[in-house]
PDB file of all heavy atoms in Angstrom:
ATOM      1  N   SER U 462      83.198  -7.985  52.945  1.00  0.00           N
ATOM      2  CA  SER U 462      82.829  -9.333  53.305  1.00  0.00           C
ATOM      3  C   SER U 462      82.481  -9.413  54.784  1.00  0.00           C
ATOM      4  O   SER U 462      82.873  -8.543  55.571  1.00  0.00           O
ATOM      5  CB  SER U 462      83.964 -10.307  52.987  1.00  0.00           C
ATOM      6  OG  SER U 462      85.110 -10.031  53.788  1.00  0.00           O
ATOM      7  N   GLY U 463      81.755 -10.431  55.137  1.00  0.00           N
ATOM      8  CA  GLY U 463      81.397 -10.613  56.533  1.00  0.00           C
ATOM      9  C   GLY U 463      79.925 -10.418  56.803  1.00  0.00           C
ATOM     10  O   GLY U 463      79.299  -9.512  56.236  1.00  0.00           O
ATOM     11  N   ARG U 464      79.402 -11.219  57.681  1.00  0.00           N
ATOM     12  CA  ARG U 464      77.986 -11.141  58.006  1.00  0.00           C
ATOM     13  C   ARG U 464      77.628  -9.934  58.853  1.00  0.00           C
ATOM     14  O   ARG U 464      76.446  -9.610  58.986  1.00  0.00           O
ATOM     15  CB  ARG U 464      77.547 -12.420  58.717  1.00  0.00           C
ATOM     16  CG  ARG U 464      77.642 -13.671  57.859  1.00  0.00           C
ATOM     17  CD  ARG U 464      77.165 -14.891  58.606  1.00  0.00           C
ATOM     18  NE  ARG U 464      77.179 -16.086  57.772  1.00  0.00           N
ATOM     19  CZ  ARG U 464      76.823 -17.287  58.177  1.00  0.00           C
ATOM     20  NH1 ARG U 464      76.430 -17.469  59.431  1.00  0.00           N
ATOM     21  NH2 ARG U 464      76.886 -18.313  57.350  1.00  0.00           N
ATOM     22  N   ILE U 465      78.619  -9.305  59.430  1.00  0.00           N
ATOM     23  CA  ILE U 465      78.350  -8.159  60.287  1.00  0.00           C
ATOM     24  C   ILE U 465      78.313  -6.846  59.514  1.00  0.00           C
ATOM     25  O   ILE U 465      78.137  -5.784  60.113  1.00  0.00           O
ATOM     26  CB  ILE U 465      79.394  -8.037  61.419  1.00  0.00           C
ATOM     27  CG1 ILE U 465      80.793  -7.776  60.845  1.00  0.00           C
ATOM     28  CG2 ILE U 465      79.388  -9.289  62.279  1.00  0.00           C
ATOM     29  CD1 ILE U 465      81.833  -7.467  61.900  1.00  0.00           C
ATOM     30  N   PHE U 466      78.473  -6.897  58.206  1.00  0.00           N
ATOM     31  CA  PHE U 466      78.535  -5.675  57.413  1.00  0.00           C
ATOM     32  C   PHE U 466      77.370  -4.744  57.695  1.00  0.00           C
ATOM     33  O   PHE U 466      77.548  -3.530  57.864  1.00  0.00           O
ATOM     34  CB  PHE U 466      78.577  -5.991  55.921  1.00  0.00           C
ATOM     35  CG  PHE U 466      78.389  -4.770  55.051  1.00  0.00           C
ATOM     36  CD1 PHE U 466      79.440  -3.912  54.817  1.00  0.00           C
ATOM     37  CD2 PHE U 466      77.152  -4.491  54.489  1.00  0.00           C
ATOM     38  CE1 PHE U 466      79.267  -2.782  54.033  1.00  0.00           C
ATOM     39  CE2 PHE U 466      76.966  -3.368  53.705  1.00  0.00           C
ATOM     40  CZ  PHE U 466      78.028  -2.515  53.475  1.00  0.00           C
ATOM     41  N   SER U 467      76.170  -5.283  57.721  1.00  0.00           N
ATOM     42  CA  SER U 467      74.991  -4.449  57.879  1.00  0.00           C
ATOM     43  C   SER U 467      74.963  -3.714  59.212  1.00  0.00           C
ATOM     44  O   SER U 467      74.223  -2.733  59.349  1.00  0.00           O
ATOM     45  CB  SER U 467      73.723  -5.287  57.723  1.00  0.00           C
ATOM     46  OG  SER U 467      73.617  -6.274  58.735  1.00  0.00           O
ATOM     47  N   LEU U 468      75.745  -4.164  60.162  1.00  0.00           N
ATOM     48  CA  LEU U 468      75.766  -3.549  61.483  1.00  0.00           C
ATOM     49  C   LEU U 468      76.785  -2.412  61.579  1.00  0.00           C
ATOM     50  O   LEU U 468      76.761  -1.649  62.544  1.00  0.00           O
ATOM     51  CB  LEU U 468      76.089  -4.589  62.548  1.00  0.00           C
ATOM     52  CG  LEU U 468      75.168  -5.808  62.638  1.00  0.00           C
ATOM     53  CD1 LEU U 468      75.690  -6.770  63.700  1.00  0.00           C
ATOM     54  CD2 LEU U 468      73.750  -5.395  62.933  1.00  0.00           C
ATOM     55  N   LEU U 469      77.664  -2.321  60.615  1.00  0.00           N
ATOM     56  CA  LEU U 469      78.805  -1.430  60.714  1.00  0.00           C
ATOM     57  C   LEU U 469      78.584  -0.067  60.083  1.00  0.00           C
ATOM     58  O   LEU U 469      78.004   0.048  59.003  1.00  0.00           O
ATOM     59  CB  LEU U 469      80.032  -2.069  60.073  1.00  0.00           C
ATOM     60  CG  LEU U 469      80.473  -3.418  60.633  1.00  0.00           C
ATOM     61  CD1 LEU U 469      81.637  -3.956  59.818  1.00  0.00           C
ATOM     62  CD2 LEU U 469      80.861  -3.281  62.102  1.00  0.00           C
ATOM     63  N   ARG U 470      79.095   0.940  60.758  1.00  0.00           N
ATOM     64  CA  ARG U 470      79.193   2.261  60.142  1.00  0.00           C
ATOM     65  C   ARG U 470      80.301   2.190  59.104  1.00  0.00           C
ATOM     66  O   ARG U 470      81.372   1.626  59.363  1.00  0.00           O
ATOM     67  CB  ARG U 470      79.490   3.326  61.188  1.00  0.00           C
ATOM     68  CG  ARG U 470      79.850   4.683  60.613  1.00  0.00           C
ATOM     69  CD  ARG U 470      79.986   5.728  61.697  1.00  0.00           C
ATOM     70  NE  ARG U 470      78.702   6.060  62.288  1.00  0.00           N
ATOM     71  CZ  ARG U 470      77.837   6.938  61.770  1.00  0.00           C
ATOM     72  NH1 ARG U 470      78.155   7.599  60.647  1.00  0.00           N
ATOM     73  NH2 ARG U 470      76.675   7.174  62.365  1.00  0.00           N
ATOM     74  N   MET U 471      80.076   2.807  57.957  1.00  0.00           N
ATOM     75  CA  MET U 471      81.060   2.822  56.884  1.00  0.00           C
ATOM     76  C   MET U 471      81.446   4.267  56.570  1.00  0.00           C
ATOM     77  O   MET U 471      80.625   5.181  56.689  1.00  0.00           O
ATOM     78  CB  MET U 471      80.513   2.153  55.633  1.00  0.00           C
ATOM     79  CG  MET U 471      80.032   0.723  55.832  1.00  0.00           C
ATOM     80  SD  MET U 471      81.380  -0.412  56.292  1.00  0.00           S
ATOM     81  CE  MET U 471      82.371  -0.374  54.779  1.00  0.00           C
ATOM     82  N   GLY U 472      82.674   4.424  56.133  1.00  0.00           N
ATOM     83  CA  GLY U 472      83.139   5.759  55.805  1.00  0.00           C
ATOM     84  C   GLY U 472      84.012   5.776  54.563  1.00  0.00           C
ATOM     85  O   GLY U 472      84.608   4.764  54.193  1.00  0.00           O
ATOM     86  N   TRP U 473      84.036   6.924  53.932  1.00  0.00           N
ATOM     87  CA  TRP U 473      84.939   7.170  52.818  1.00  0.00           C
ATOM     88  C   TRP U 473      85.938   8.247  53.199  1.00  0.00           C
ATOM     89  O   TRP U 473      85.563   9.275  53.785  1.00  0.00           O
ATOM     90  CB  TRP U 473      84.176   7.616  51.567  1.00  0.00           C
ATOM     91  CG  TRP U 473      83.458   6.528  50.846  1.00  0.00           C
ATOM     92  CD1 TRP U 473      82.135   6.205  50.931  1.00  0.00           C
ATOM     93  CD2 TRP U 473      84.026   5.608  49.898  1.00  0.00           C
ATOM     94  NE1 TRP U 473      81.838   5.157  50.108  1.00  0.00           N
ATOM     95  CE2 TRP U 473      82.971   4.763  49.458  1.00  0.00           C
ATOM     96  CE3 TRP U 473      85.298   5.429  49.375  1.00  0.00           C
ATOM     97  CZ2 TRP U 473      83.177   3.753  48.524  1.00  0.00           C
ATOM     98  CZ3 TRP U 473      85.506   4.417  48.446  1.00  0.00           C
ATOM     99  CH2 TRP U 473      84.455   3.601  48.037  1.00  0.00           C
ATOM    100  N   PHE U 474      87.184   8.005  52.891  1.00  0.00           N
ATOM    101  CA  PHE U 474      88.260   8.946  53.120  1.00  0.00           C
ATOM    102  C   PHE U 474      89.045   9.107  51.825  1.00  0.00           C
ATOM    103  O   PHE U 474      88.964   8.272  50.929  1.00  0.00           O
ATOM    104  CB  PHE U 474      89.184   8.465  54.232  1.00  0.00           C
ATOM    105  CG  PHE U 474      88.543   8.399  55.589  1.00  0.00           C
ATOM    106  CD1 PHE U 474      87.672   7.363  55.923  1.00  0.00           C
ATOM    107  CD2 PHE U 474      88.785   9.372  56.539  1.00  0.00           C
ATOM    108  CE1 PHE U 474      87.079   7.297  57.166  1.00  0.00           C
ATOM    109  CE2 PHE U 474      88.204   9.318  57.799  1.00  0.00           C
ATOM    110  CZ  PHE U 474      87.346   8.286  58.105  1.00  0.00           C
ATOM    111  N   ARG U 475      89.818  10.175  51.745  1.00  0.00           N
ATOM    112  CA  ARG U 475      90.661  10.357  50.568  1.00  0.00           C
ATOM    113  C   ARG U 475      92.004  10.917  50.991  1.00  0.00           C
ATOM    114  O   ARG U 475      92.127  11.598  52.009  1.00  0.00           O
ATOM    115  CB  ARG U 475      89.991  11.272  49.537  1.00  0.00           C
ATOM    116  CG  ARG U 475      89.799  12.711  49.990  1.00  0.00           C
ATOM    117  CD  ARG U 475      88.955  13.478  48.995  1.00  0.00           C
ATOM    118  NE  ARG U 475      88.726  14.843  49.419  1.00  0.00           N
ATOM    119  CZ  ARG U 475      87.854  15.673  48.841  1.00  0.00           C
ATOM    120  NH1 ARG U 475      87.137  15.261  47.796  1.00  0.00           N
ATOM    121  NH2 ARG U 475      87.710  16.905  49.303  1.00  0.00           N
ATOM    122  N   GLN U 476      93.001  10.633  50.189  1.00  0.00           N
ATOM    123  CA  GLN U 476      94.351  11.083  50.491  1.00  0.00           C
ATOM    124  C   GLN U 476      95.038  11.528  49.204  1.00  0.00           C
ATOM    125  O   GLN U 476      95.268  10.725  48.306  1.00  0.00           O
ATOM    126  CB  GLN U 476      95.153   9.973  51.163  1.00  0.00           C
ATOM    127  CG  GLN U 476      96.519  10.406  51.663  1.00  0.00           C
ATOM    128  CD  GLN U 476      97.147   9.381  52.590  1.00  0.00           C
ATOM    129  OE1 GLN U 476      96.763   8.207  52.585  1.00  0.00           O
ATOM    130  NE2 GLN U 476      98.090   9.816  53.404  1.00  0.00           N
ATOM    131  N   ALA U 477      95.339  12.797  49.147  1.00  0.00           N
ATOM    132  CA  ALA U 477      96.074  13.359  48.021  1.00  0.00           C
ATOM    133  C   ALA U 477      97.567  13.163  48.249  1.00  0.00           C
ATOM    134  O   ALA U 477      98.014  13.010  49.392  1.00  0.00           O
ATOM    135  CB  ALA U 477      95.749  14.841  47.862  1.00  0.00           C
ATOM    136  N   PRO U 478      98.359  13.178  47.194  1.00  0.00           N
ATOM    137  CA  PRO U 478      99.800  12.987  47.340  1.00  0.00           C
ATOM    138  C   PRO U 478     100.422  13.988  48.306  1.00  0.00           C
ATOM    139  O   PRO U 478     100.205  15.185  48.193  1.00  0.00           O
ATOM    140  CB  PRO U 478     100.328  13.196  45.924  1.00  0.00           C
ATOM    141  CG  PRO U 478      99.183  12.807  45.044  1.00  0.00           C
ATOM    142  CD  PRO U 478      97.965  13.294  45.784  1.00  0.00           C
ATOM    143  N   GLY U 479     101.171  13.479  49.272  1.00  0.00           N
ATOM    144  CA  GLY U 479     101.852  14.329  50.225  1.00  0.00           C
ATOM    145  C   GLY U 479     100.972  14.930  51.299  1.00  0.00           C
ATOM    146  O   GLY U 479     101.447  15.738  52.098  1.00  0.00           O
ATOM    147  N   LYS U 480      99.700  14.549  51.332  1.00  0.00           N
ATOM    148  CA  LYS U 480      98.785  15.085  52.321  1.00  0.00           C
ATOM    149  C   LYS U 480      98.220  13.984  53.201  1.00  0.00           C
ATOM    150  O   LYS U 480      98.323  12.806  52.896  1.00  0.00           O
ATOM    151  CB  LYS U 480      97.644  15.841  51.629  1.00  0.00           C
ATOM    152  CG  LYS U 480      98.105  17.041  50.813  1.00  0.00           C
ATOM    153  CD  LYS U 480      96.942  17.776  50.219  1.00  0.00           C
ATOM    154  CE  LYS U 480      97.395  18.984  49.426  1.00  0.00           C
ATOM    155  NZ  LYS U 480      96.241  19.716  48.836  1.00  0.00           N
ATOM    156  N   GLU U 481      97.640  14.399  54.311  1.00  0.00           N
ATOM    157  CA  GLU U 481      97.044  13.453  55.238  1.00  0.00           C
ATOM    158  C   GLU U 481      95.710  12.943  54.717  1.00  0.00           C
ATOM    159  O   GLU U 481      95.022  13.625  53.965  1.00  0.00           O
ATOM    160  CB  GLU U 481      96.855  14.096  56.609  1.00  0.00           C
ATOM    161  CG  GLU U 481      98.156  14.467  57.305  1.00  0.00           C
ATOM    162  CD  GLU U 481      97.932  14.999  58.703  1.00  0.00           C
ATOM    163  OE1 GLU U 481      96.760  15.083  59.127  1.00  0.00           O
ATOM    164  OE2 GLU U 481      98.913  15.319  59.378  1.00  0.00           O
ATOM    165  N   ARG U 482      95.370  11.758  55.149  1.00  0.00           N
ATOM    166  CA  ARG U 482      94.085  11.193  54.789  1.00  0.00           C
ATOM    167  C   ARG U 482      92.971  11.972  55.486  1.00  0.00           C
ATOM    168  O   ARG U 482      93.039  12.210  56.690  1.00  0.00           O
ATOM    169  CB  ARG U 482      94.036   9.721  55.191  1.00  0.00           C
ATOM    170  CG  ARG U 482      92.876   8.948  54.630  1.00  0.00           C
ATOM    171  CD  ARG U 482      93.047   7.451  54.886  1.00  0.00           C
ATOM    172  NE  ARG U 482      94.276   6.950  54.293  1.00  0.00           N
ATOM    173  CZ  ARG U 482      94.656   5.674  54.337  1.00  0.00           C
ATOM    174  NH1 ARG U 482      93.887   4.771  54.929  1.00  0.00           N
ATOM    175  NH2 ARG U 482      95.807   5.308  53.782  1.00  0.00           N
ATOM    176  N   GLU U 483      91.968  12.358  54.715  1.00  0.00           N
ATOM    177  CA  GLU U 483      90.903  13.166  55.267  1.00  0.00           C
ATOM    178  C   GLU U 483      89.542  12.514  55.110  1.00  0.00           C
ATOM    179  O   GLU U 483      89.286  11.775  54.152  1.00  0.00           O
ATOM    180  CB  GLU U 483      90.880  14.562  54.619  1.00  0.00           C
ATOM    181  CG  GLU U 483      90.483  14.579  53.161  1.00  0.00           C
ATOM    182  CD  GLU U 483      90.314  15.974  52.587  1.00  0.00           C
ATOM    183  OE1 GLU U 483      90.287  16.948  53.376  1.00  0.00           O
ATOM    184  OE2 GLU U 483      90.218  16.106  51.352  1.00  0.00           O
ATOM    185  N   PHE U 484      88.675  12.822  56.017  1.00  0.00           N
ATOM    186  CA  PHE U 484      87.316  12.334  56.002  1.00  0.00           C
ATOM    187  C   PHE U 484      86.532  12.934  54.843  1.00  0.00           C
ATOM    188  O   PHE U 484      86.684  14.116  54.537  1.00  0.00           O
ATOM    189  CB  PHE U 484      86.630  12.695  57.317  1.00  0.00           C
ATOM    190  CG  PHE U 484      85.141  12.539  57.297  1.00  0.00           C
ATOM    191  CD1 PHE U 484      84.552  11.296  57.431  1.00  0.00           C
ATOM    192  CD2 PHE U 484      84.326  13.645  57.128  1.00  0.00           C
ATOM    193  CE1 PHE U 484      83.172  11.160  57.410  1.00  0.00           C
ATOM    194  CE2 PHE U 484      82.949  13.520  57.120  1.00  0.00           C
ATOM    195  CZ  PHE U 484      82.378  12.261  57.247  1.00  0.00           C
ATOM    196  N   VAL U 485      85.691  12.115  54.227  1.00  0.00           N
ATOM    197  CA  VAL U 485      84.845  12.581  53.135  1.00  0.00           C
ATOM    198  C   VAL U 485      83.367  12.399  53.456  1.00  0.00           C
ATOM    199  O   VAL U 485      82.581  13.338  53.355  1.00  0.00           O
ATOM    200  CB  VAL U 485      85.172  11.858  51.813  1.00  0.00           C
ATOM    201  CG1 VAL U 485      84.203  12.286  50.714  1.00  0.00           C
ATOM    202  CG2 VAL U 485      86.607  12.151  51.394  1.00  0.00           C
ATOM    203  N   ALA U 486      82.987  11.192  53.840  1.00  0.00           N
ATOM    204  CA  ALA U 486      81.580  10.909  54.098  1.00  0.00           C
ATOM    205  C   ALA U 486      81.446   9.669  54.959  1.00  0.00           C
ATOM    206  O   ALA U 486      82.321   8.807  54.980  1.00  0.00           O
ATOM    207  CB  ALA U 486      80.819  10.708  52.788  1.00  0.00           C
ATOM    208  N   THR U 487      80.331   9.568  55.651  1.00  0.00           N
ATOM    209  CA  THR U 487      80.063   8.379  56.452  1.00  0.00           C
ATOM    210  C   THR U 487      78.576   8.085  56.481  1.00  0.00           C
ATOM    211  O   THR U 487      77.745   8.990  56.299  1.00  0.00           O
ATOM    212  CB  THR U 487      80.607   8.545  57.892  1.00  0.00           C
ATOM    213  OG1 THR U 487      80.456   7.326  58.619  1.00  0.00           O
ATOM    214  CG2 THR U 487      79.860   9.657  58.631  1.00  0.00           C
ATOM    215  N   ILE U 488      78.256   6.834  56.697  1.00  0.00           N
ATOM    216  CA  ILE U 488      76.873   6.395  56.766  1.00  0.00           C
ATOM    217  C   ILE U 488      76.740   5.415  57.923  1.00  0.00           C
ATOM    218  O   ILE U 488      77.614   4.574  58.149  1.00  0.00           O
ATOM    219  CB  ILE U 488      76.437   5.757  55.426  1.00  0.00           C
ATOM    220  CG1 ILE U 488      74.937   5.440  55.433  1.00  0.00           C
ATOM    221  CG2 ILE U 488      77.250   4.495  55.121  1.00  0.00           C
ATOM    222  CD1 ILE U 488      74.409   5.096  54.037  1.00  0.00           C
ATOM    223  N   ASN U 489      75.673   5.525  58.653  1.00  0.00           N
ATOM    224  CA  ASN U 489      75.489   4.682  59.823  1.00  0.00           C
ATOM    225  C   ASN U 489      75.170   3.246  59.430  1.00  0.00           C
ATOM    226  O   ASN U 489      74.790   2.944  58.299  1.00  0.00           O
ATOM    227  CB  ASN U 489      74.379   5.228  60.726  1.00  0.00           C
ATOM    228  CG  ASN U 489      73.015   5.205  60.064  1.00  0.00           C
ATOM    229  OD1 ASN U 489      72.865   5.543  58.900  1.00  0.00           O
ATOM    230  ND2 ASN U 489      71.991   4.818  60.837  1.00  0.00           N
ATOM    231  N   GLY U 490      75.335   2.344  60.395  1.00  0.00           N
ATOM    232  CA  GLY U 490      74.983   0.960  60.177  1.00  0.00           C
ATOM    233  C   GLY U 490      73.483   0.776  60.163  1.00  0.00           C
ATOM    234  O   GLY U 490      72.713   1.688  60.466  1.00  0.00           O
ATOM    235  N   GLY U 491      73.059  -0.425  59.795  1.00  0.00           N
ATOM    236  CA  GLY U 491      71.636  -0.700  59.729  1.00  0.00           C
ATOM    237  C   GLY U 491      70.995  -0.108  58.496  1.00  0.00           C
ATOM    238  O   GLY U 491      71.424  -0.371  57.364  1.00  0.00           O
ATOM    239  N   ARG U 492      70.003   0.713  58.712  1.00  0.00           N
ATOM    240  CA  ARG U 492      69.240   1.279  57.599  1.00  0.00           C
ATOM    241  C   ARG U 492      70.048   2.231  56.713  1.00  0.00           C
ATOM    242  O   ARG U 492      69.674   2.453  55.563  1.00  0.00           O
ATOM    243  CB  ARG U 492      68.021   2.015  58.127  1.00  0.00           C
ATOM    244  CG  ARG U 492      67.006   1.132  58.836  1.00  0.00           C
ATOM    245  CD  ARG U 492      65.824   1.959  59.311  1.00  0.00           C
ATOM    246  NE  ARG U 492      64.811   1.152  59.987  1.00  0.00           N
ATOM    247  CZ  ARG U 492      63.696   1.621  60.492  1.00  0.00           C
ATOM    248  NH1 ARG U 492      63.429   2.921  60.415  1.00  0.00           N
ATOM    249  NH2 ARG U 492      62.840   0.813  61.102  1.00  0.00           N
ATOM    250  N   GLY U 493      71.106   2.789  57.246  1.00  0.00           N
ATOM    251  CA  GLY U 493      71.860   3.772  56.483  1.00  0.00           C
ATOM    252  C   GLY U 493      71.065   5.039  56.283  1.00  0.00           C
ATOM    253  O   GLY U 493      71.155   5.686  55.235  1.00  0.00           O
TER     254      GLY U 493
END
């Protein structure tokens, strides 16, 4: 939600049981 969504970089992370959250993928703001 929010009107600023299109401006924001977004990322996906994952966390397995007992492990640290790790980076998976990211996409830049704007055009993506």
Side-chain angles (χ1 to χ4, degrees):
S462 65
R464 295 181 177 180
I465 64 172
F466 169 80
S467 64
L468 303 177
L469 302 176
R470 170 174 290 276
M471 304 295 294
W473 284 99
F474 295 77
R475 66 188 179 191
Q476 187 167 20
K480 298 183 179 180
E481 295 185 359
R482 192 170 301 182
E483 68 174 348
F484 166 79
V485 176
T487 186
I488 187 167
N489 65 317
R492 296 181 179 180

